[in-house]
Amino acid sequence: MDDDDYSPSNSVTSVNSLASLLREKLQSIPQKIRKKPTDYKLRAFVGLMFLAVVFFVGFAYVLYHQQAATKAYFNNVQFNEPKKLIRIFNADEVEILRARLAVSHQGKSEVYPCLPEHQHHDGSICLEWLHSLRFYLKSLPRDPGVDNTTCFNIHWKALSNSIFPNDCFDWSDTKVHWYGGGQSINLTWPLDTGTIQYTPFITGDIQNSQMGNVLTRYLINSKGAAIIIDEETPLYISVNARNKEICLLAKYDDFAYANRLTEYAEMKYNICISTDMKSLHSSIHSHRSAPLWDGLKPIDMHILESLISEPVWQIAPRFKHELKAETISKYTEDVIYLGFLKQGHVLINEFWQNEIGDLAVDTSRFETLNETVDKLHRRGFKVAFTVQPFISTESANFGECVQKRLLISERNSDRRIPALTRFKSLASAGVLDITNSKTVPWIMNKLQAVIDKYDIDSFYFDLGTAYDMPHYYQCEKKLINPDQYKTAFIKTFEKTLKVIGVSSAVSLPSPPVFVSLPPFESTWEAMRRVIPTMLTYGINGYPFIMPGAVGGDIYWPGSEQFLPSSKGSADINITDSAHNGIDLPEVELYMRWLQMATFLPVMKFTHLPSKYNDERVLEMAKNLTSLRQKVVTPLLLKYKRSALEEGLPLVRPLWLVPGAAGAGGAGGAGADAALLVRDEFCVGDELVVAPILYPNTTTREVYLPAGLWQDGIDGSLRKGNRWMHEYRVPVDRVAYFIRKPDDMRF
Ligand SMILES: *[C@@H]1O[C@H](CO)[C@@H](O)[C@H](O)[C@H]1NC(C)=O
Ligand SMILES: *[C@@H]1O[C@H](CO)[C@@H](O)[C@H](O)[C@H]1NC(C)=O
Ligand SMILES: *[C@@H]1O[C@H](CO)[C@@H](O)[C@H](O)[C@H]1NC(C)=O
Ligand SMILES: *[C@@H]1O[C@H](CO)[C@@H](O)[C@H](O)[C@H]1NC(C)=O
Ligand SMILES: *[C@@H]1O[C@H](CO)[C@@H](O)[C@H](O)[C@H]1NC(C)=O
Ligand SMILES: *[C@@H]1O[C@H](CO)[C@@H](O)[C@H](O)[C@H]1NC(C)=O
């Protein structure tokens, strides 16, 4: 029943006064019969009765019209046309989604059915608000028996330049939580606890209040409704900006959505619903065009498994002159000297070149790099080079690229004028135009020469974010938005080169390509962002995620990233620069970070635990390494299968774990806990991890999902579906719980 807007208070008072009047009248009737002069009282009574009848008739009329304006479509959808309020119900008639559509266009004009030439003839409902907006709603076909997911498609067409489709999904009076989309400095897990003003939905640097480095146009709520927004929509998003709601806006602008695909903005998205959140999520992710393992070669599988079971050694000094063959060689010697860590992948940053964009080894610094690589191989390491699509204006290649028109050019200009941008330490650089058919073989030749000469094993693509594109960019082929560049770049090379990772993405690369978390600085605050970011990217459909280095990543002088200005510097020990000139993180931060990283899909190191000259750190690192090898790696390798089959993440939020209450939408405090916890995660379905994320802290609150769990610290059995308060975790220990069969007893 739609009961908003009309206020019942009037009717209540009139009913009350009517009743008292009636009582009074009935008592006085004998008097009235006897006394004729009081006839006027009877008239007043009749008059009042008449008014009451008019009122009730009027009320019924209004009610009728409200009901008539709310129409039901496709069993699950109610749409109130004048108010543009849409409500979607599941099979049990529970409201699971409520949205105010066209919010910036409320109550401005009458709605009409579309003219025949504007109808789609595919079962769509078509409505038009004259000269402003056209609206299509249709139900998408589904496979009966395959699953219980039903989807609807909403398509808005603006009919003038000043109108922007703008829909808001409401959570004000429903206890619902939202996940997915992306992360930002103010937007975390779940999304509805954050705030962000309208922001273009393109990748960026969360330090600048932009969206993060990995995005998916996918949002899912805890009641079992999901929104999947079309690639082509020029999408802006806001959360809790004015009301408690998440809003989508379609708008062209001069950077993020500069390339108009339609005359006026359009917004298209699907709303999918199912019986509960988990089955909805699985059904959406298992319905991609092909499973992830499709086309996977044995060598790819081997790389995938090695990234899970061996560490990645990130050698990333801040200055070019700090990267030398001896530093690389010495680093790997130190790893071997440690004795307990496996060899793994040595990931060398862009300073293997003289200038970014040379795509050739700097022979003045590395006279015999082929021999260094050979030595690393003999020691059991694999070697990966970082490659970027940016060509420094200082690079010897710049002139050639300009002359051959391989670079992205200035918009609305001659194709010969390259558009310049800044990137990390680079003050000015061009960007290779990947949509130009001549560019791909050019890059390929350069990289093949490096592979042939130096026998390196793989590459890591550092593609920057959308904001690293030149502001007025123009490619040979029109891009929908700057993020499409990344997708094109990855798709071009993922099959021809061995790629172990990419720095950002808006669509899923083929395995074994891992997608990186954004760089996190060496602070406790940054460490607390790792888990929510990891969980969001997993829900977004990226199962293989590469977190940053244990203890935090390194800032780049000359870029805005992590300038050691305000917060960062306190945690960095500036005096210790014996180590490649890179400062060691605070020891307690490093220990806690290492504990958390032990359970993540990839372990990446910049600083070795031995650098602290602290027996405590070394012993803990040794014990955590053996825990990872015995317990975590086998689990990750096991869940690799469901990742490849169904796109489910290796590291999961508690609500995705079987037995977690709340995923079905049931009430209660425990139910909400699984939905809200953002400082714990689960490896597959079987291992809950609750790391300490605050300095000088040895206790924390731990929520255990339903089931029977074995405590990793003391080995005891613990019952789930409850909170454990003040759970003790000494500085060299980490809280984790392994699922045991429910029928297991002492
Ligand atoms: C669909 O829902 C019905 C009834 O709720 C249930 O019996 C059936 O198992 C569900 N099917 C799938 C594939 O989840
Ligand atoms: C992030 O949150 C802070 C404090 O809550 C607020 O001042 C700031 O404006 C927010 N930033 C954005 C981009 O919404
Ligand atoms: C490295 O390159 C040099 C010169 O190109 C060559 O003489 C030498 O044999 C190479 N070493 C290895 C280990 O391939
Ligand atoms: C930095 O490290 C040095 C030696 O490693 C130590 O003496 C000093 O106390 C540390 N400073 C801080 C602020 O932690
Ligand atoms: C490491 O493991 C050994 C043997 O299992 C144990 O005695 C020691 O207490 C552990 N140390 C830490 C810091 O966990
Ligand atoms: C750490 O905690 C102890 C005891 O709770 C306190 O005495 C000490 O000052 C704290 N240290 C810091 C750096 O906060």
PDB file of all heavy atoms in Angstrom, residues 133-153:
ATOM      1  N   LEU A 133      12.268  13.727 -21.463  1.00  0.00           N
ATOM      2  CA  LEU A 133      12.819  12.399 -21.240  1.00  0.00           C
ATOM      3  C   LEU A 133      11.927  11.321 -21.830  1.00  0.00           C
ATOM      4  O   LEU A 133      10.697  11.441 -21.803  1.00  0.00           O
ATOM      5  CB  LEU A 133      12.911  12.139 -19.732  1.00  0.00           C
ATOM      6  CG  LEU A 133      14.056  12.778 -18.973  1.00  0.00           C
ATOM      7  CD1 LEU A 133      13.771  12.709 -17.484  1.00  0.00           C
ATOM      8  CD2 LEU A 133      15.376  12.071 -19.263  1.00  0.00           C
ATOM      9  N   ARG A 134      12.565  10.287 -22.336  1.00  0.00           N
ATOM     10  CA  ARG A 134      11.818   9.109 -22.753  1.00  0.00           C
ATOM     11  C   ARG A 134      12.317   7.934 -21.926  1.00  0.00           C
ATOM     12  O   ARG A 134      13.514   7.828 -21.645  1.00  0.00           O
ATOM     13  CB  ARG A 134      12.023   8.857 -24.246  1.00  0.00           C
ATOM     14  CG  ARG A 134      10.923   8.043 -24.876  1.00  0.00           C
ATOM     15  CD  ARG A 134      11.078   7.960 -26.377  1.00  0.00           C
ATOM     16  NE  ARG A 134      10.840   9.239 -27.034  1.00  0.00           N
ATOM     17  CZ  ARG A 134      11.586   9.687 -28.048  1.00  0.00           C
ATOM     18  NH1 ARG A 134      12.596   8.980 -28.489  1.00  0.00           N
ATOM     19  NH2 ARG A 134      11.308  10.846 -28.606  1.00  0.00           N
ATOM     20  N   PHE A 135      11.407   7.073 -21.552  1.00  0.00           N
ATOM     21  CA  PHE A 135      11.712   6.007 -20.600  1.00  0.00           C
ATOM     22  C   PHE A 135      11.275   4.661 -21.166  1.00  0.00           C
ATOM     23  O   PHE A 135      10.150   4.523 -21.637  1.00  0.00           O
ATOM     24  CB  PHE A 135      10.952   6.306 -19.304  1.00  0.00           C
ATOM     25  CG  PHE A 135      10.962   5.212 -18.282  1.00  0.00           C
ATOM     26  CD1 PHE A 135      12.108   4.934 -17.552  1.00  0.00           C
ATOM     27  CD2 PHE A 135       9.817   4.462 -18.017  1.00  0.00           C
ATOM     28  CE1 PHE A 135      12.112   3.935 -16.590  1.00  0.00           C
ATOM     29  CE2 PHE A 135       9.819   3.458 -17.046  1.00  0.00           C
ATOM     30  CZ  PHE A 135      10.975   3.204 -16.340  1.00  0.00           C
ATOM     31  N   TYR A 136      12.175   3.684 -21.157  1.00  0.00           N
ATOM     32  CA  TYR A 136      11.820   2.332 -21.593  1.00  0.00           C
ATOM     33  C   TYR A 136      12.070   1.376 -20.430  1.00  0.00           C
ATOM     34  O   TYR A 136      13.100   1.455 -19.762  1.00  0.00           O
ATOM     35  CB  TYR A 136      12.703   1.884 -22.755  1.00  0.00           C
ATOM     36  CG  TYR A 136      12.563   2.714 -24.005  1.00  0.00           C
ATOM     37  CD1 TYR A 136      13.394   3.803 -24.232  1.00  0.00           C
ATOM     38  CD2 TYR A 136      11.603   2.393 -24.968  1.00  0.00           C
ATOM     39  CE1 TYR A 136      13.279   4.560 -25.377  1.00  0.00           C
ATOM     40  CE2 TYR A 136      11.483   3.150 -26.118  1.00  0.00           C
ATOM     41  CZ  TYR A 136      12.322   4.229 -26.322  1.00  0.00           C
ATOM     42  OH  TYR A 136      12.207   4.973 -27.459  1.00  0.00           O
ATOM     43  N   LEU A 137      11.138   0.489 -20.227  1.00  0.00           N
ATOM     44  CA  LEU A 137      11.303  -0.532 -19.192  1.00  0.00           C
ATOM     45  C   LEU A 137      10.935  -1.864 -19.802  1.00  0.00           C
ATOM     46  O   LEU A 137       9.863  -2.001 -20.394  1.00  0.00           O
ATOM     47  CB  LEU A 137      10.373  -0.218 -18.016  1.00  0.00           C
ATOM     48  CG  LEU A 137      10.240  -1.293 -16.935  1.00  0.00           C
ATOM     49  CD1 LEU A 137      11.537  -1.452 -16.165  1.00  0.00           C
ATOM     50  CD2 LEU A 137       9.114  -0.946 -15.966  1.00  0.00           C
ATOM     51  N   LYS A 138      11.852  -2.833 -19.690  1.00  0.00           N
ATOM     52  CA  LYS A 138      11.463  -4.156 -20.188  1.00  0.00           C
ATOM     53  C   LYS A 138      12.010  -5.251 -19.284  1.00  0.00           C
ATOM     54  O   LYS A 138      12.967  -5.051 -18.535  1.00  0.00           O
ATOM     55  CB  LYS A 138      11.908  -4.351 -21.627  1.00  0.00           C
ATOM     56  CG  LYS A 138      13.369  -4.564 -21.831  1.00  0.00           C
ATOM     57  CD  LYS A 138      13.664  -4.866 -23.306  1.00  0.00           C
ATOM     58  CE  LYS A 138      15.148  -4.868 -23.526  1.00  0.00           C
ATOM     59  NZ  LYS A 138      15.565  -4.683 -24.883  1.00  0.00           N
ATOM     60  N   SER A 139      11.380  -6.400 -19.402  1.00  0.00           N
ATOM     61  CA  SER A 139      11.786  -7.555 -18.631  1.00  0.00           C
ATOM     62  C   SER A 139      12.671  -8.404 -19.542  1.00  0.00           C
ATOM     63  O   SER A 139      12.337  -8.620 -20.700  1.00  0.00           O
ATOM     64  CB  SER A 139      10.536  -8.308 -18.207  1.00  0.00           C
ATOM     65  OG  SER A 139      10.888  -9.550 -17.694  1.00  0.00           O
ATOM     66  N   LEU A 140      13.829  -8.839 -19.043  1.00  0.00           N
ATOM     67  CA  LEU A 140      14.740  -9.605 -19.898  1.00  0.00           C
ATOM     68  C   LEU A 140      14.422 -11.084 -19.780  1.00  0.00           C
ATOM     69  O   LEU A 140      14.074 -11.565 -18.710  1.00  0.00           O
ATOM     70  CB  LEU A 140      16.187  -9.342 -19.490  1.00  0.00           C
ATOM     71  CG  LEU A 140      16.621  -7.883 -19.597  1.00  0.00           C
ATOM     72  CD1 LEU A 140      18.048  -7.709 -19.084  1.00  0.00           C
ATOM     73  CD2 LEU A 140      16.544  -7.399 -21.035  1.00  0.00           C
ATOM     74  N   PRO A 141      14.564 -11.809 -20.884  1.00  0.00           N
ATOM     75  CA  PRO A 141      14.254 -13.236 -20.824  1.00  0.00           C
ATOM     76  C   PRO A 141      15.235 -13.951 -19.904  1.00  0.00           C
ATOM     77  O   PRO A 141      16.379 -13.531 -19.758  1.00  0.00           O
ATOM     78  CB  PRO A 141      14.442 -13.694 -22.275  1.00  0.00           C
ATOM     79  CG  PRO A 141      15.309 -12.673 -22.907  1.00  0.00           C
ATOM     80  CD  PRO A 141      15.051 -11.386 -22.201  1.00  0.00           C
ATOM     81  N   ARG A 142      14.808 -15.005 -19.283  1.00  0.00           N
ATOM     82  CA  ARG A 142      15.746 -15.769 -18.451  1.00  0.00           C
ATOM     83  C   ARG A 142      15.587 -17.247 -18.728  1.00  0.00           C
ATOM     84  O   ARG A 142      14.605 -17.676 -19.324  1.00  0.00           O
ATOM     85  CB  ARG A 142      15.508 -15.481 -16.979  1.00  0.00           C
ATOM     86  CG  ARG A 142      14.182 -16.004 -16.493  1.00  0.00           C
ATOM     87  CD  ARG A 142      14.182 -16.080 -14.987  1.00  0.00           C
ATOM     88  NE  ARG A 142      12.799 -16.219 -14.513  1.00  0.00           N
ATOM     89  CZ  ARG A 142      12.498 -16.749 -13.356  1.00  0.00           C
ATOM     90  NH1 ARG A 142      13.420 -17.173 -12.552  1.00  0.00           N
ATOM     91  NH2 ARG A 142      11.235 -16.851 -12.990  1.00  0.00           N
ATOM     92  N   ASP A 143      16.600 -18.003 -18.284  1.00  0.00           N
ATOM     93  CA  ASP A 143      16.539 -19.450 -18.453  1.00  0.00           C
ATOM     94  C   ASP A 143      15.763 -20.017 -17.287  1.00  0.00           C
ATOM     95  O   ASP A 143      16.290 -20.044 -16.178  1.00  0.00           O
ATOM     96  CB  ASP A 143      17.949 -20.074 -18.402  1.00  0.00           C
ATOM     97  CG  ASP A 143      18.863 -19.491 -19.439  1.00  0.00           C
ATOM     98  OD1 ASP A 143      18.346 -18.902 -20.394  1.00  0.00           O
ATOM     99  OD2 ASP A 143      20.090 -19.633 -19.287  1.00  0.00           O
ATOM    100  N   PRO A 144      14.554 -20.474 -17.512  1.00  0.00           N
ATOM    101  CA  PRO A 144      13.855 -21.056 -16.368  1.00  0.00           C
ATOM    102  C   PRO A 144      14.572 -22.343 -15.984  1.00  0.00           C
ATOM    103  O   PRO A 144      15.094 -23.050 -16.836  1.00  0.00           O
ATOM    104  CB  PRO A 144      12.449 -21.326 -16.901  1.00  0.00           C
ATOM    105  CG  PRO A 144      12.543 -21.229 -18.384  1.00  0.00           C
ATOM    106  CD  PRO A 144      13.838 -20.598 -18.778  1.00  0.00           C
ATOM    107  N   GLY A 145      14.648 -22.619 -14.719  1.00  0.00           N
ATOM    108  CA  GLY A 145      15.310 -23.846 -14.273  1.00  0.00           C
ATOM    109  C   GLY A 145      16.797 -23.676 -14.061  1.00  0.00           C
ATOM    110  O   GLY A 145      17.381 -24.386 -13.275  1.00  0.00           O
ATOM    111  N   VAL A 146      17.425 -22.733 -14.766  1.00  0.00           N
ATOM    112  CA  VAL A 146      18.863 -22.551 -14.559  1.00  0.00           C
ATOM    113  C   VAL A 146      19.095 -21.831 -13.245  1.00  0.00           C
ATOM    114  O   VAL A 146      19.830 -22.272 -12.390  1.00  0.00           O
ATOM    115  CB  VAL A 146      19.507 -21.773 -15.723  1.00  0.00           C
ATOM    116  CG1 VAL A 146      20.952 -21.451 -15.391  1.00  0.00           C
ATOM    117  CG2 VAL A 146      19.400 -22.566 -16.995  1.00  0.00           C
ATOM    118  N   ASP A 147      18.453 -20.711 -13.078  1.00  0.00           N
ATOM    119  CA  ASP A 147      18.502 -20.082 -11.766  1.00  0.00           C
ATOM    120  C   ASP A 147      17.270 -19.204 -11.577  1.00  0.00           C
ATOM    121  O   ASP A 147      16.411 -19.135 -12.451  1.00  0.00           O
ATOM    122  CB  ASP A 147      19.795 -19.293 -11.570  1.00  0.00           C
ATOM    123  CG  ASP A 147      19.970 -18.210 -12.603  1.00  0.00           C
ATOM    124  OD1 ASP A 147      18.970 -17.572 -12.969  1.00  0.00           O
ATOM    125  OD2 ASP A 147      21.106 -17.991 -13.052  1.00  0.00           O
ATOM    126  N   ASN A 148      17.234 -18.556 -10.444  1.00  0.00           N
ATOM    127  CA  ASN A 148      16.038 -17.804 -10.103  1.00  0.00           C
ATOM    128  C   ASN A 148      16.245 -16.314 -10.303  1.00  0.00           C
ATOM    129  O   ASN A 148      15.602 -15.512  -9.668  1.00  0.00           O
ATOM    130  CB  ASN A 148      15.652 -18.101  -8.648  1.00  0.00           C
ATOM    131  CG  ASN A 148      15.114 -19.516  -8.519  1.00  0.00           C
ATOM    132  OD1 ASN A 148      14.510 -20.034  -9.449  1.00  0.00           O
ATOM    133  ND2 ASN A 148      15.335 -20.115  -7.379  1.00  0.00           N
ATOM    134  N   THR A 149      17.184 -15.944 -11.141  1.00  0.00           N
ATOM    135  CA  THR A 149      17.474 -14.530 -11.338  1.00  0.00           C
ATOM    136  C   THR A 149      16.598 -13.949 -12.439  1.00  0.00           C
ATOM    137  O   THR A 149      16.483 -14.516 -13.518  1.00  0.00           O
ATOM    138  CB  THR A 149      18.961 -14.349 -11.701  1.00  0.00           C
ATOM    139  OG1 THR A 149      19.738 -14.935 -10.667  1.00  0.00           O
ATOM    140  CG2 THR A 149      19.323 -12.889 -11.832  1.00  0.00           C
ATOM    141  N   THR A 150      15.985 -12.818 -12.125  1.00  0.00           N
ATOM    142  CA  THR A 150      15.148 -12.115 -13.086  1.00  0.00           C
ATOM    143  C   THR A 150      15.769 -10.741 -13.296  1.00  0.00           C
ATOM    144  O   THR A 150      16.183 -10.114 -12.328  1.00  0.00           O
ATOM    145  CB  THR A 150      13.743 -11.895 -12.481  1.00  0.00           C
ATOM    146  OG1 THR A 150      13.274 -13.156 -12.030  1.00  0.00           O
ATOM    147  CG2 THR A 150      12.790 -11.323 -13.490  1.00  0.00           C
ATOM    148  N   CYS A 151      15.822 -10.284 -14.543  1.00  0.00           N
ATOM    149  CA  CYS A 151      16.405  -8.966 -14.792  1.00  0.00           C
ATOM    150  C   CYS A 151      15.448  -8.062 -15.566  1.00  0.00           C
ATOM    151  O   CYS A 151      14.658  -8.535 -16.388  1.00  0.00           O
ATOM    152  CB  CYS A 151      17.701  -9.086 -15.583  1.00  0.00           C
ATOM    153  SG  CYS A 151      18.998  -9.958 -14.704  1.00  0.00           S
ATOM    154  N   PHE A 152      15.547  -6.782 -15.279  1.00  0.00           N
ATOM    155  CA  PHE A 152      14.781  -5.761 -15.991  1.00  0.00           C
ATOM    156  C   PHE A 152      15.766  -4.767 -16.577  1.00  0.00           C
ATOM    157  O   PHE A 152      16.819  -4.538 -15.997  1.00  0.00           O
ATOM    158  CB  PHE A 152      13.854  -5.010 -15.042  1.00  0.00           C
ATOM    159  CG  PHE A 152      12.999  -5.924 -14.241  1.00  0.00           C
ATOM    160  CD1 PHE A 152      13.359  -6.283 -12.958  1.00  0.00           C
ATOM    161  CD2 PHE A 152      11.851  -6.467 -14.790  1.00  0.00           C
ATOM    162  CE1 PHE A 152      12.598  -7.163 -12.226  1.00  0.00           C
ATOM    163  CE2 PHE A 152      11.083  -7.347 -14.079  1.00  0.00           C
ATOM    164  CZ  PHE A 152      11.451  -7.698 -12.788  1.00  0.00           C
ATOM    165  N   ASN A 153      15.400  -4.197 -17.697  1.00  0.00           N
ATOM    166  CA  ASN A 153      16.274  -3.201 -18.289  1.00  0.00           C
ATOM    167  C   ASN A 153      15.589  -1.841 -18.259  1.00  0.00           C
ATOM    168  O   ASN A 153      14.419  -1.719 -18.623  1.00  0.00           O
ATOM    169  CB  ASN A 153      16.597  -3.598 -19.735  1.00  0.00           C
ATOM    170  CG  ASN A 153      17.434  -2.560 -20.422  1.00  0.00           C
ATOM    171  OD1 ASN A 153      16.905  -1.695 -21.119  1.00  0.00           O
ATOM    172  ND2 ASN A 153      18.730  -2.596 -20.207  1.00  0.00           N
TER     173      ASN A 153
END
